[in-house]
Amino acid sequence: GEDVEQSLFLSVREGDSSVINCTYTDSSSTYLYWYKQEPGAGLQLLTYIFSNMDMKQDQRLTVLLNKKDKHLSLRIADTQTGDSAIYFCAESAGYSSASKIIFGSGTRLSIRP
Amino acid sequence: KAGVTQTPRYLIKTRGQQVTLSCSPISGHRSVSWYQQTPGQGLQFLFEYFSETQRNKGNFPGRFSGRQFSNSRSEMNVSTLELGDSALYLCASSLEGRRAEETQYFGPGTRLLVL
C-alpha cells in the first residue's frame, strides 16, 4: 500500500545544514512534495519535484530524489531559527495538485544556538 | 489578497453530535481540499471539490461529507461524532487543482475536540 516514512525529530546547530529524509513506497508517484508547518499554522508548500527529476534547487533548499531506492531528502543550507517547524514529505500519484496526497508523519526540526 | 480562512478556529462537541466546518478559499481559487490531522494518523486527505462537485475522495467513512457552493466556499460535515474525530481539520485551495505544480494554499485549520 501507499506509505511515506520520516524520522520524527532532527536537531541541528544554527548555521549548519539540515537534511530531512523520507522514504515512500508507491512507485507510481508522480510528484513528491515538502511542506512546512509552523506552530498554530496550516501547511506551506516549500517545494516539489517531479518523479523524473533527480535534483531540484531553490535558494537554500535542495531536494534530492533517488527513485530506485524511493528516497527523498530535503537539505536546508545555513539553517536559521526561523526554520524551526515540522516538515512533511508527501507523494501524489496523480497529475493535479488536488489529487490524493499521502503525507509522512512529519519531522520536527529544532535549531540549537 | 486574503488567504484561506476557516471557521470556526476551535470547536468542542460531544459524541453523537454533528459538526459543520467552513472554508473560504483564496479569491479566484476553484479547487478546495480537506485534510484531517491527528497525532496518531498524521495528515490524511478527506476530499476535494471543484465546481461544486466532489472530484477526489480519501478513505473516510460516509459520516464525513462535504459540499462546495457556487462561490467556491466549501463546508465539511461530520455526523455522529466519535472521540477519534478529534483533530485539526485543514482546508486548502488552489486555482484549478489540475496541475501538480499548482500551489495549494492551506488555511490555519479548525481544531475539533470531541468529548
Side-chain angles (χ1 to χ4, degrees), chain A residues 2 30-31 33 35 37 40-45 48 88 92 94-105, chain B residues 9 31 33 35 37 43 45 48 55-59 88 90 94 97-104 106-108:
Chain A
E2 307 145 332
T30 49
Y31 283 91
Y33 304 86
Y35 287 85
Q37 186 176 35
L43 270 72
Q44 173 194 357
L45 177 65
Y48 66 91
F88 291 91
S92 169
Y95 287 89
S96 79
S97 60
S99 296
K100 182 178 174 182
I101 297 179
I102 309 296
F103 286 87
S105 54
Chain B
R9 291 293 309 277
S31 169
S33 298
Y35 297 84
Q37 186 176 25
L43 263 164
F45 174 79
E48 182 244 352
R55 191 163 61 175
N56 287 291
K57 188 177 188 305
N59 299 323
L88 179 67
L90 293 166
S94 61
R98 292 191 188 280
R99 295 178 300 119
E101 58 267 34
E102 202 179 289
T103 300
Q104 271 196 325
F106 281 78

Side-chain angles (χ1 to χ4, degrees), chain B residues 10-60:
Chain B
Y10 303 93
L11 204 49
I12 300 176
K13 291 284 188 179
T14 55
R15 277 181 299 175
Q17 287 187 309
Q18 74 160 15
V19 68
T20 299
L21 312 182
S22 180
C23 172
S24 292
I26 290 173
S27 177
H29 284 192
R30 296 168 64 194
S31 169
V32 175
S33 298
W34 288 90
Y35 297 84
Q36 182 196 64
Q37 186 176 25
T38 60
Q41 299 296 318
L43 263 164
Q44 294 183 285
F45 174 79
L46 279 155
F47 28 63
E48 182 244 352
Y49 285 86
F50 179 81
S51 288
E52 302 177 63
T53 301
Q54 188 181 87
R55 191 163 61 175
N56 287 291
K57 188 177 188 305
N59 299 323
F60 277 80

Side-chain angles (χ1 to χ4, degrees), chain A residues 8-26:
Chain A
L8 292 179
F9 301 99
L10 177 66
S11 176
V12 299
R13 197 179 301 278
E14 189 176 0
D16 287 352
S17 291
S18 306
V19 180
I20 304 171
N21 295 301
C22 167
T23 57
Y24 61 99
T25 56
D26 189 351

